[in-house]
Amino acid sequence: MILALIVQKEWKLFHLDVKMMFLNGDLLEEVYMNHPQGFIVFGKEKMCRLQKALYVLKQTPCAWYAKIDEYLNE
């Protein structure tokens, strides 16, 4: 109903996908994780450096807040 009203009145509509921003926030510090169980690398014990925030990280809400704050203050 709201979308129909927006179209009828020819208003601008802005869309922000908060869920994807929360899950794909940029990390402010270096975070490493072990490989998932079942991932086999022969001969070496390796770690993964995360480029984006994951839902289960403690840093995720902070990264999300920093990104939304930057966006809203532009």
Side-chain angles (χ1 to χ4, degrees):
M1 188 165 147
I2 294 173
L3 288 176
L5 181 63
I6 291 170
V7 170
Q8 183 182 29
K9 300 287 185 177
E10 297 180 3
W11 292 340
K12 287 185 178 181
L13 175 66
F14 296 96
H15 174 72
L16 177 65
D17 192 353
V18 175
K19 184 176 182 181
M20 290 308 294
M21 187 182 350
F22 185 81
L23 294 176
N24 293 313
D26 297 323
L27 292 171
L28 303 175
E29 62 271 344
E30 290 186 8
V31 177
Y32 294 91
M33 65 174 263
N34 290 325
H35 285 286
Q37 189 175 12
F39 184 84
I40 300 170
V41 178
F42 295 104
K44 292 187 177 180
E45 183 80 24
K46 293 191 176 187
M47 303 282 284
C48 294
R49 180 172 176 241
L50 299 177
Q51 301 290 329
K52 298 286 184 178
L54 296 175
Y55 186 73
V56 296
L57 291 176
K58 292 180 183 178
Q59 293 88 347
T60 301
C62 183
W64 178 83
Y65 179 78
K67 191 162 194 148
I68 191 93
D69 186 53
E70 176 186 328
Y71 176 79
L72 294 175
N73 285 325
E74 286 183 350

